[in-house]
Amino acid sequence: ERVIKTDFHLSRCMGERVLVKLYAPIDGQKAIVAQLDAFDDDSITLSADGEQISIPRKSIAKMNIYFEF
């Protein structure tokens, strides 16, 4: 459950399901579980239920790999 912070961490987690906790809700959600598809200096791109979600990196409070039990 290591926190994903750096570009190196993000590159290692490409294609993995992640849990993203936000400072403020986006589309009514403060926590999003989705697959990490891409990232750049300003945002990350996730996919969930066939939809692409772009989140500004400054809006992310915490991000971890998501494990289902």
Side-chain angles (χ1 to χ4, degrees):
E1 293 216 14
R2 193 170 277 170
V3 176
I4 302 167
K5 290 184 180 180
T6 65
D7 287 350
F8 177 74
H9 294 151
L10 286 165
S11 65
R12 299 272 312 225
C13 295
M14 292 295 291
E16 299 285 337
R17 287 176 53 97
V18 294
L19 169 62
V20 180
K21 293 183 181 180
L22 305 168
Y23 289 115
I26 294 177
D27 295 331
Q29 295 182 313
K30 271 194 87 170
I32 300 169
V33 175
Q35 179 177 319
L36 178 61
D37 286 339
F39 69 92
D40 59 27
D41 291 338
D42 300 320
S43 66
I44 65 166
T45 303
L46 306 172
S47 63
D49 302 324
E51 292 183 33
Q52 294 281 328
I53 305 164
S54 182
I55 300 173
R57 286 175 80 163
K58 64 183 179 186
S59 299
I60 299 170
K62 185 177 179 184
M63 182 170 30
N64 300 79
I65 293 179
Y66 181 75
F67 294 103
E68 284 189 64
F69 294 101

